[in-house]
Amino acid sequence: MTIPETERLRLREYVETDAPFVFELVNQPSWIENIGDRGVRTLDDAQAYITDRLRPSYASDGFGFWCVELLDGTPIGLCGLVRRPQLEAPDIGYAFLPAYWGQGYAREAAEATVQLARDTYELARLVAIVTPTNVPSIRLLEQIGMTLESTTRMPGDDEDVSVYGMAL
């Protein structure tokens, strides 16, 4: 499944050949600090992460985290939707390689994902979780229309996260 293109980006399902990119992305210090260490230490681990963590939601929910790439095919990040049992609505999430920060790509991908959630998946609501110290991510959530609703502690985490939400 290819998600419709934006002006500068294409969102698409992850495939096993994305392992080198996934390895790089999930081992960024910013990923580990704000999302968590996923234990991806090798390309085989990255392929398993794609197979076991990213791809299953495509079949079960019809959506998931998608690879965000420039129109020339260069992968630059991740954006999409995921259902978490502890949250009352699907969660929008995103992460980008630092070389692509500050250029509007995350906002462009997030806005396309919100539109897809509303128009294609006919979701009534979205939430997002974010560490309270991740100011750039909080700013983006607010720019796409989300507001702070609560805090929660996700299973296995040591600290609370902020929960943002929006009606669609």
Side-chain angles (χ1 to χ4, degrees):
M1 173 181 182
T2 298
I3 310 309
E5 295 178 359
T6 69
E7 182 179 318
R8 303 179 297 163
L9 304 172
R10 180 180 309 109
L11 284 69
R12 62 165 175 79
E13 289 185 1
Y14 276 97
V15 294
E16 282 71 19
T17 55
D18 290 317
F21 169 70
V22 168
F23 177 83
E24 181 181 7
L25 182 66
V26 303
N27 284 295
Q28 291 295 315
S30 56
W31 176 289
I32 293 168
E33 177 183 346
N34 294 304
I35 298 171
D37 187 348
R38 298 300 187 240
V40 176
R41 305 288 182 258
T42 67
L43 287 179
D44 287 342
D45 291 344
Q47 285 181 326
Y49 187 80
I50 292 166
T51 301
D52 300 339
R53 305 271 313 262
L54 294 175
R55 293 194 52 81
S57 64
Y58 301 151
S60 64
D61 298 322
F63 52 76
F65 288 125
W66 299 296
C67 182
V68 178
E69 59 186 17
L70 300 176
L71 296 180
D72 68 5
T74 303
I76 65 170
L78 165 150
C79 188
L81 305 167
V82 64
R83 289 192 193 274
R84 299 181 197 272
Q86 57 277 28
L87 298 175
E88 48 90 20
D91 173 20
I92 184 171
Y94 44 84
F96 286 77
L97 292 174
Y100 299 96
W101 292 356
Q103 300 173 54
Y105 293 126
R107 183 172 180 173
E108 192 171 325
E111 287 174 340
T113 299
V114 168
Q115 182 178 354
L116 194 68
R118 180 181 43 250
D119 298 346
T120 300
Y121 298 112
E122 299 179 345
L123 298 175
R125 188 165 161 63
L126 285 180
V127 298
I129 54 174
V130 61
T131 57
T133 57
N134 190 345
V135 175
S137 190
I138 291 168
R139 188 170 30 249
L140 174 59
L141 293 174
E142 292 171 345
Q143 288 173 345
I144 65 171
M146 299 187 107
T147 57
L148 177 63
E149 295 182 344
S150 65
T151 60
T152 192
R153 184 156 306 178
M154 302 300 282
D157 286 352
D158 296 333
E159 297 181 22
D160 288 347
V161 290
S162 299
V163 180
Y164 281 71
M166 69 186 303
L168 296 179

